[in-house]
Amino acid sequence: MLNYILENLWLLWTIIMFACLILELSSGDFFITCFAIGALAAIVPSLAGTSFWLQVVVWAICSVLSIWLIRPRLLKVLHKGGEERESNADALIGRVGEVVEAIKTDKPGYVKIDGDCWRALSDDGNEISEGKQVKIISRNSIVVTVCLVEE
C-alpha cells in the first residue's frame, strides 16, 4: 500500500487535501482550507512526474499565496454584514413576548420570548398582569424593560 502511494504521489496529495478540508470543519478560520488549496495545486506537478521536493515547494508556495490572497476575501464574503448584526440579547429589542409572572410597581416580573424567560420591568412603572402581551423596548444586563402592547 505504501509503495503504491509513493508511486502515485497525486494520491497522497489528494488524501492531504481531503484531510485538510475535514479538519477545517472543526476550525472555521479558513487557514486549513489554504493548505488544502496548496495540496490541490501540488497534484498537478505530481501527475507530471516531478520530484517530491518540487511538489512540496509548489504546495508551500500555493498555501502561502492562498493565505495571503484568498483567505481575506473569503472571510470578507462570509462575514458580510457581521458588524451590523445584533447579538443574542440585543436582538430581543422590539420583540413581543408574554408576561408569565406579573410585573409589579415595586417588583420585576418575568416575560417569556421564544421559550426563554427574562426578568422584566415596566417602562412607566405600572403593573402588568400575567398573560398580557408586551414589547421589549430596552435591556440593561439581564433585565428587560417592556411596554404593554395595545390589543
Side-chain angles (χ1 to χ4, degrees):
M1 174 84 163
L2 186 59
N3 286 335
Y4 180 78
I5 291 175
L6 291 175
E7 290 171 3
N8 298 291
L9 287 175
W10 64 269
L11 183 59
L12 175 68
W13 291 115
T14 304
I15 292 169
I16 290 171
M17 180 184 66
F18 281 113
C20 288
L21 291 174
I22 291 169
L23 287 172
E24 181 63 50
L25 292 175
S26 65
S27 75
D29 59 3
F30 299 110
F31 273 113
I32 302 173
T33 300
C34 295
F35 296 119
I37 292 169
L40 179 64
I43 291 173
V44 175
S46 71
L47 289 173
T50 61
S51 69
F52 178 70
W53 297 112
L54 181 61
Q55 296 170 33
V56 171
V57 169
V58 168
W59 169 77
I61 290 172
C62 290
S63 294
V64 169
L65 285 175
S66 63
I67 288 171
W68 185 48
L69 299 173
I70 295 173
R71 183 177 180 270
R73 289 178 179 86
L74 185 62
L75 288 174
K76 187 182 285 187
V77 168
L78 291 176
H79 295 146
K80 190 178 224 177
E83 301 81 26
E84 302 149 7
R85 194 174 337 145
E86 295 176 331
S87 70
N88 298 337
D90 290 335
L92 290 173
I93 297 173
R95 303 279 308 273
V96 175
E98 181 179 339
V99 176
V100 292
E101 184 179 308
I103 301 171
K104 309 280 185 192
T105 55
D106 59 341
K107 181 181 162 199
Y110 285 90
V111 174
K112 190 172 192 173
I113 299 173
D114 295 334
D116 293 326
C117 289
W118 291 84
R119 183 174 237 177
L121 295 170
S122 173
D123 65 332
D124 56 7
N126 292 334
E127 292 187 12
I128 303 175
S129 61
E130 188 175 326
K132 295 285 186 178
Q133 295 289 311
V134 292
K135 183 178 183 179
I136 296 178
I137 57 173
S138 68
R139 178 186 68 84
N140 185 8
S141 185
I142 60 170
V143 180
V144 295
T145 303
V146 298
C147 66
L148 193 59
V149 175
E150 301 298 325
E151 296 179 22

